[in-house]
Amino acid sequence: MKPLPETLEARIGLRVNQLDTPALVVDLDAMERNIARMADFARKHRVLWRPHAKMHKSAEIALQLQRAGAVGACVQKTAEAEALAAGGVRDITITNQVIAHPKLLRVARLAARLQAQGGRLALAVDSAEGIQRLAEAMAQAAPQARIDVLVEIDVGQGRCGVPPGEPALALAQAVARLTQLRFAGLHAYHGRAQHLHGAAERRDAIAAAVQAARHTRDLLTAAGLPVPLVTGSGTGTLVHEAASGVYGELQAGSFLFMDADYARNEREPAQPAFEQALFVKTQVISACDSHAVCDAGHKSHAIDSGLPTVALLPPGRALRYANGGDEHGLLYADSPQARLPALGQMLWLVPGHCDPTVNLHDFLIGVRGGLAAGAVERIIRVDARGALT
């Protein structure tokens, strides 16, 4: 891996109050506590965990998670898989369909490269044509390699995936007939359920998903096609998939950093107490009687799941962040008693959605010792930033 540019290396050792703004900062202590809690949860429930790297997009973090017990990484894009593999990650699942022939050739070459290194690549499929296209690409670009294939079933997301049951059986049988493809199990992810804020809503949604996955697994097994794995789950629902007896692998990724939208979820008692570990540091650059303005606008954080919240304020100083455009955030006192921040004051924002926020930045600044008085310990590259193909 290339060394960090001198300007980035120079930030290591800086106190947090010396960091220029806006900056995407990881509280390393909080992140590592989140990792330890996830590892402990998976161990106690005897399930594998394969955190989704589409959230952090960093080979360095993916390898750190594997050292803590993760079996590998998930990604959504071929380019993400290539970026992680270039950084040393050897066990990767693309939890998405790949249809375009040029991309399938890249998938085939990556599968061969990882296999030669003792690793493996897996890919989700949801159509007979997709299976055939994958087989043709493997034969053309990697005739000696094999790739693991997961049949994706739609368990409530309403996006990709075939209906549970017979359609999934037909696809699994089609995979099993092709020598370069290895049927590796079922992909059954319910993404929308992660952000149902009520605990009962999430519980009901995943109960239906588990039923669909179990029915499909049992149907395939009865037809003489064992199902090695059912994989899926996310940070919002992992307690239910882990307890189901059906899911053998959890793909939760956002637990690592959390965000403002996950903070709105009603917590399940069995859910590990994951902490917010990702922040945008910002500074007040203008102030008047009615509001203050900070230098972190929408180019520094994603807003698809709502605006950021202002964190780490003393009691009675609650602030509301409002839309100020690409480069500015508007800050309003949240109560008549609250005071607006002064010109030059540093503030910490919790992004509404961690995944696309990370994708806006080239690197993460890892701080040790807390955000009040800590110092920069690591600069973490966002290796897969902009990896959209």
Side-chain angles (χ1 to χ4, degrees):
M1 189 175 292
K2 293 180 181 179
L4 291 168
E6 186 177 337
T7 52
L8 295 184
E9 289 278 13
R11 301 184 191 204
I12 296 175
L14 288 179
R15 311 304 297 181
V16 288
N17 62 358
Q18 296 174 296
L19 288 175
D20 201 1
T21 59
L24 191 60
V25 174
V26 176
D27 182 333
L28 295 175
D29 300 302
M31 182 184 80
E32 290 169 9
R33 287 191 292 269
N34 288 342
I35 293 172
R37 287 163 185 156
M38 184 66 200
D40 184 61
F41 178 86
R43 190 165 46 248
K44 286 180 178 176
H45 287 81
R46 299 183 179 181
V47 290
L48 305 174
W49 55 299
R50 181 182 293 276
H52 228 303
K54 73 180 180 68
M55 193 278 294
H56 56 74
K57 289 178 167 277
S58 163
E60 180 181 333
I61 289 178
L63 292 172
Q64 181 176 354
L65 289 162
Q66 286 183 230
R67 289 192 296 271
V71 295
C74 290
V75 296
Q76 281 284 73
K77 298 290 187 174
T78 304
E80 289 178 333
E82 291 167 334
L84 291 193
V89 182
R90 300 286 175 258
D91 194 325
I92 303 170
T93 296
I94 303 175
T95 58
N96 202 355
Q97 284 66 44
V98 180
I99 294 297
H101 186 64
K103 275 201 280 281
L104 285 169
L105 293 177
R106 289 161 54 196
V107 166
R109 288 191 287 265
L110 181 58
R113 187 157 69 249
L114 290 176
Q115 182 176 305
Q117 295 169 343
R120 46 81 80 175
L121 182 68
L123 178 69
V125 299
D126 72 352
S127 69
E129 183 173 351
I131 293 168
Q132 187 59 41
R133 289 185 180 205
L134 174 61
E136 291 170 358
M138 292 293 294
Q140 179 180 343
Q144 304 305 314
R146 295 187 77 189
I147 186 170
D148 283 357
V149 176
L150 298 161
V151 171
E152 180 165 5
I153 58 175
D154 183 1
V155 293
Q157 173 70 16
R159 191 168 57 192
C160 297
V162 294
E166 294 287 349
L169 171 60
L171 291 187
Q173 290 171 329
V175 171
R177 286 193 291 267
L178 297 165
T179 56
Q180 281 190 272
L181 311 187
R182 182 190 298 111
F183 176 62
L186 299 173
H187 179 235
Y189 174 63
H190 194 336
R192 287 193 300 165
Q194 309 311 314
H195 300 282
L196 297 172
H197 295 319
E201 293 177 280
R202 296 196 303 277
R203 195 178 311 124
D204 291 346
I206 298 305
V210 167
Q211 183 179 1
R214 179 185 288 112
H215 166 66
T216 305
R217 180 200 63 183
D218 293 348
L219 183 67
L220 270 62
T221 302
L225 192 59
V227 179
L229 182 71
V230 177
T231 180
S233 183
T235 297
T237 66
L238 58 86
V239 296
H240 305 303
E241 286 95 345
S244 70
V246 173
Y247 284 75
E249 183 179 85
L250 309 178
Q251 297 176 5
S254 295
F255 77 89
L256 187 71
F257 291 159
M258 302 302 284
D259 54 36
D261 193 52
Y262 268 116
R264 300 182 188 103
N265 278 2
E266 179 187 357
R267 184 170 168 263
E268 287 277 355
Q271 175 91 0
F274 299 126
E275 305 171 47
Q276 291 169 336
L278 185 75
F279 301 85
V280 175
K281 186 189 178 192
T282 185
Q283 183 178 34
V284 175
I285 59 173
S286 179
C288 63
D289 291 341
S290 62
H291 65 275
V293 182
C294 68
D295 62 358
H298 302 333
K299 286 183 180 177
S300 65
H301 56 84
I303 61 172
D304 59 298
S305 294
L307 296 172
T309 57
V310 186
L312 308 177
L313 292 171
R317 293 289 300 275
L319 295 174
R320 176 173 57 86
Y321 181 100
N323 184 348
D326 292 349
E327 313 293 352
H328 304 88
L330 304 181
L331 301 166
Y332 295 94
D334 226 12
S335 69
Q337 295 77 30
R339 289 179 294 163
L340 289 170
L343 191 68
Q345 184 174 337
M346 301 293 184
L347 297 169
W348 298 94
L349 305 178
V350 178
H353 190 181
C354 48
D355 303 36
T357 294
V358 171
N359 193 53
L360 294 170
H361 296 260
D362 291 322
F363 55 89
L364 308 168
I365 299 174
V367 167
R368 178 77 66 191
L371 301 185
V376 178
E377 179 179 278
R378 296 161 61 187
I379 304 294
I380 303 167
R381 292 180 183 278
V382 183
D383 302 292
R385 182 189 179 186
L388 303 179
T389 63

